[in-house]
Amino acid sequence: QVQLVESGGGLVQAGGSLRLSCAASKSILIIRDMGWYRQAPGKQRDLVATITRGGTTNYADSVKGRFTISRDNAKNTVYLQMNSLRPEDTAVYYCTGSTVVSDYWGQGTQVTVSS
């Protein structure tokens, strides 16, 4: 069992930045892929970015060039640096991790971008 805890959400003006953190209860070296998803009110949960154990990244087209995902294996933490935020980035952001036996999700952190 792996527990994921997100932090770093909040209210920011358009054009601003936030950094989300996702702390894992166990070494993230056992987690094959980690990622961030987001869900806006009334909408489905969508992929934002993923990062493999080897560091390969993948981004949704809507955030390419603005968001950066990274992982610090020594701290068992994954980050999402979000720059040039837009009102349409407003959502609950969820951290996720996949092992060979299961997928794990955090409880989510709210990001609100005002115009």
Side-chain angles (χ1 to χ4, degrees), residues 9-24:
L11 174 64
V12 64
Q13 289 188 331
S17 298
L18 283 174
R19 188 176 80 155
L20 305 183
S21 299
C22 172

Side-chain angles (χ1 to χ4, degrees), residues 3-9 19-24 35-37 45 77-78 92-97 104-111:
Q3 294 176 331
L4 303 174
V5 179
E6 303 98 334
S7 61
R19 188 176 80 155
L20 305 183
S21 299
C22 172
W36 291 92
Y37 283 70
R45 190 173 296 188
T77 301
V78 174
V92 177
Y93 284 70
Y94 297 91
C95 176
T96 184
Y104 301 95
W105 292 85
Q107 82 288 349
T109 185
Q110 176 71 47
V111 171

Side-chain angles (χ1 to χ4, degrees), residues 8 21 29 42 59-61 65 73 81 99 102 113:
S21 299
L29 289 175
Y59 296 93
D61 288 342
N73 293 333
Q81 178 66 43
T99 68
S102 188
V113 184

Side-chain angles (χ1 to χ4, degrees), residues 83-95:
N83 298 328
S84 302
L85 283 162
R86 306 167 180 168
E88 54 263 40
D89 294 319
T90 295
V92 177
Y93 284 70
Y94 297 91
C95 176

Side-chain angles (χ1 to χ4, degrees), residues 1 4 10 15 34 43 47 49 51-52 59 61 64 68 72-73 80 83 90-91 95-96 107 113 115:
Q1 189 80 4
L4 303 174
M34 298 196 73
K43 295 188 177 181
L47 171 71
I51 185 167
T52 68
Y59 296 93
D61 288 342
K64 282 181 181 177
T68 303
D72 186 334
N73 293 333
L80 185 68
N83 298 328
T90 295
C95 176
T96 184
Q107 82 288 349
V113 184
S115 56

